[in-house]
Amino acid sequence: MSQDTLFDKVWDLHKVANLPGGSDQIFIGLHLIHEVTSPQAFGALKDKNLKVKFPQRTVATVDHIVPTDNQSRPFKDNLAEQMINTLEKNCIEHKIKFFNIGSGNQGIVHVVAPELGLTQPGMTIACGDSHTSTHGAFGSIAFGIGTSQVRDVLASQTIAMNKLKVRQIWCENKLSTGIYAKDLVLHIINQLGVKAGVGFAYEFAGPAISELSMEERMTICNMSIEGGARCGYINPDEKTFSYIKDKLFSPKNENWENAVKWWKSLVSTDNCIYDDVFKLDASKVEPTITWGITPGQSIGINQKIPSLNEMHPNDQFIAGEAYEYMGFKPGQSIKNTPIDVCFIGSCTNGRISDLRVAARVLEHNKVAKNIKAFVVPGSEKVAKEAKEEGLDKIFIKAGFQWREPGCSMCLAMNSDKLIGNQVSASSSNRNFKGRQGSPNGRTLLMSPAMVAAASITGKVSDVRDFINK
Amino acid sequence: MSVKFKPPIGKFSQINGKCISLVGDDIDTDRIIPARFLKCIDFDSLGESVFDDDRKTLKGNHPFDLETNKGSSILIVNSNFGCGSSREHAPQALMRWGIKAIIGESFADIFYSNCIAIGIPCFTLPKESIKKIQKYLNIKNLFLEIDLFESTAKAEEFKFDLEIKETSKKMFLSGEWDATLKLLENKALIENKLNDLPYIKFNNN
């Protein structure tokens, strides 16, 4: 059993009680809500005649259903309008802070909370969204919950949960030029598999992790859940503190010193005990792309799609399904696979640094003929910053559509969808069957830089050929 | 659906029903309920949309469409069932279709907690046992009697020792899976905790 890791310290601090059934009652320091997984939770509160216990510990925004082309109200989609309306009403009724469209602070919940300084080390953070693991980049213990648990957090600020085991993922050396956090996390998931993280929290550590910026660390932790771990985190350091400093909700004045002192005390102790340790060499990671229907089915740009006999027997069934669905054959190269749609955005890769990297690749280039390419900033703040830097103009000049902030085609709850069996090069996090809105649409996950490269050539390309010119 | 949906209430220890098998690893929650059906403010109509894309692709040959599986309530699955999104809509859709318990090789974490929170016990069995049940179901119907207290599943032809987390088992036997009121019993402890947390103090700008 793990001991003295950041996870242990934060878990123990937030433990309210041992429940009779044997699980722990855990206090949730920050509760984030959005329009998709909260309405039924508020409905359940009403049914049980309960109130929101600590309204100031919950913050709301709207992201999943928002259109990214025209955000004027009422939305064209009646159901989407009904959902935002329900969230607005619930937030007013229960006195919950809500960052609505036009507030300057709306956006994807996992982009917004860090940029507002709401996400801080040592907190427990829960949200009705599996990518809540993103916030672990700051050394918080953050995880996705379902709607019944959203109800429990609203009603009691606590949930019933079993403590997770802790696996350290030690990333030796550094990523090479043209290789990004997305490549690293896809590689990790490929190496460990999509179910290895079940029952675990992942601690990402090592020189390659320390080297990453806060936004890159968010990309890593964001995809913990794709490896089966509902929680992933990185020990906080000076980069963490300087990112948080002077944000809207960060501690101020003398509180700042106290906060930093406390945050430093949370770091996994040198002689702490992990339930498991996995080591890898980050310098060996190549630009990584998924070829299948789980985020674990990925290869380096110069590798070939693996055949069944190269795989563990447990991975063969889903691989067979993937060949059929994707229309790929074992032994085929992923490089030069024709693309139809390019999507840059999502809680994985919709932050300002992602847009900067993609814009650098696109500058003085044009999107290939017949490619639909669009970029969806992760938040209103990201959009504003990008415009100030002129990134929007670079994207538009290259042939990208510049959209309004939201989750968009990561999960296609708005009108941004694949059509038929189109292939997308996507900076998002899931390549599941039907994920991007068409029951036979196909998704290739990759870094935003690789999406930009694919948009120029119209096929899967090595971004290093563009940046090393 | 013709039969009015009744959610589980309180404690229970017995689930008897017909089995339905769904073969495949890593069946994610986007497949269980595609995102477009999440545009709703209640869960009521999700049952008919469960596995919508997969069912349309298989044109009536999906297990959830086969006449022989009508009225099934125990779902037999393979490994990492329910991976992906945290959407509780997935188990809610299964439950509203008629599923009352799931037996599989393994489950994704968030899906598993969502099932417990809405009263669907999830049991595990070794790969070979699941295969055996799935093979049997290819030929004929199977009715299982699940005893939560004993953690067994029995039929005329079979008896399996099911695995279930001790904490989950206790929750069903005591009714505590419906957790809200139990959590609120510790009201004073919760308030103390709020006052003790360092960051509550230093975020009081």
Side-chain angles (χ1 to χ4, degrees), chain A residues 73-253:
Chain A
R73 301 281 300 276
F75 294 152
K76 251 186 263 165
D77 178 345
N78 290 335
L79 289 172
E81 178 61 28
Q82 187 190 18
M83 293 188 83
I84 187 172
N85 209 284
T86 305
L87 182 63
E88 287 168 336
K89 281 189 188 145
N90 283 328
C91 287
I92 291 171
E93 187 184 333
H94 298 280
K95 300 188 171 57
I96 289 168
K97 194 175 277 123
F98 176 39
F99 293 112
N100 205 344
I101 294 172
S103 65
N105 289 322
Q106 173 267 342
I108 307 174
V109 62
H110 311 308
V111 176
V112 165
E115 71 188 9
L116 288 173
L118 286 164
T119 301
Q120 294 172 16
M123 285 180 168
T124 44
I125 303 180
C127 173
D129 191 285
S130 61
H131 293 111
T132 307
S133 57
T134 311
H135 306 267
F138 292 80
S140 61
I141 295 308
F143 44 81
I145 54 177
T147 298
S148 294
Q149 290 190 312
V150 172
R151 172 203 65 200
D152 291 347
V153 179
L154 289 172
S156 73
Q157 206 59 38
T158 64
I159 56 168
M161 194 167 156
N162 294 323
K163 193 175 174 187
L164 300 166
K165 290 183 277 187
V166 186
R167 171 179 294 130
Q168 189 192 47
I169 299 176
W170 183 264
C171 304
E172 200 53 73
N173 296 321
K174 284 181 194 171
L175 294 173
S176 318
T177 310
I179 318 295
Y180 303 91
K182 180 64 155 289
D183 301 303
L184 176 58
V185 72
L186 284 172
H187 180 78
I188 292 170
I189 298 164
N190 173 267
Q191 293 296 298
L192 280 164
V194 291
K195 34 189 170 270
V198 172
F200 280 92
Y202 279 175
E203 177 184 292
F204 300 98
I209 298 292
S210 306
E211 193 70 19
L212 299 176
S213 70
M214 287 315 295
E215 298 199 344
E216 291 171 311
R217 292 180 190 186
M218 285 189 246
T219 302
I220 301 280
C221 291
N222 172 277
M223 290 193 69
S224 306
I225 183 64
E226 311 312 333
R230 72 192 294 186
C231 167
Y233 70 91
I234 293 169
N235 282 301
D237 59 12
E238 290 304 325
K239 279 186 192 173
T240 319
F241 311 145
S242 68
Y243 180 98
I244 300 171
K245 199 168 172 41
D246 299 325
K247 295 275 191 288
L248 189 59
F249 292 99
S250 62
K252 303 280 164 21
N253 306 319

Side-chain angles (χ1 to χ4, degrees), chain B residues 20-22 32 47 50-51 55 58 60-67 69-70 72 75-77 81 93-95 97-99:
Chain B
I20 173 172
S21 154
L22 189 65
I32 301 173
V50 72
F51 293 110
R55 287 162 78 176
L58 289 177
N61 289 317
H62 189 277
F64 278 68
D65 284 323
L66 296 178
E67 195 58 36
N69 285 331
K70 236 181 174 173
S72 299
L75 177 61
I76 312 293
V77 296
F81 187 74
L94 289 168
M95 186 164 80
W97 186 88
I99 300 302

Side-chain angles (χ1 to χ4, degrees), chain B residues 130-142:
Chain B
I130 294 288
K131 283 243 161 80
K132 197 170 159 190
I133 299 177
Q134 288 179 326
K135 215 167 149 189
Y136 185 94
L137 281 166
N138 280 337
I139 311 160
K140 37 180 176 168
N141 286 331
L142 176 66

Side-chain angles (χ1 to χ4, degrees), chain A residues 335-355:
Chain A
K335 201 172 178 175
N336 295 329
T337 302
I339 299 291
D340 303 297
V341 178
C342 289
F343 170 61
I344 294 176
S346 85
C347 59
T348 312
N349 281 124
R351 297 187 178 79
I352 188 69
S353 57
D354 299 311
L355 269 51

Side-chain angles (χ1 to χ4, degrees), chain A residues 383-394:
Chain A
K384 183 168 174 268
E385 215 173 332
K387 281 182 187 167
E388 283 164 5
E389 294 177 23
L391 302 184
D392 58 329
K393 292 202 176 68
I394 297 174

Side-chain angles (χ1 to χ4, degrees), chain A residues 261-280:
Chain A
K261 204 172 145 198
W262 183 64
W263 292 341
K264 285 181 177 168
S265 76
L266 299 168
V267 172
S268 296
T269 323
D270 281 343
N271 53 359
C272 69
I273 300 167
Y274 298 99
D275 296 283
D276 189 35
V277 176
F278 177 79
K279 292 187 179 178
L280 63 91

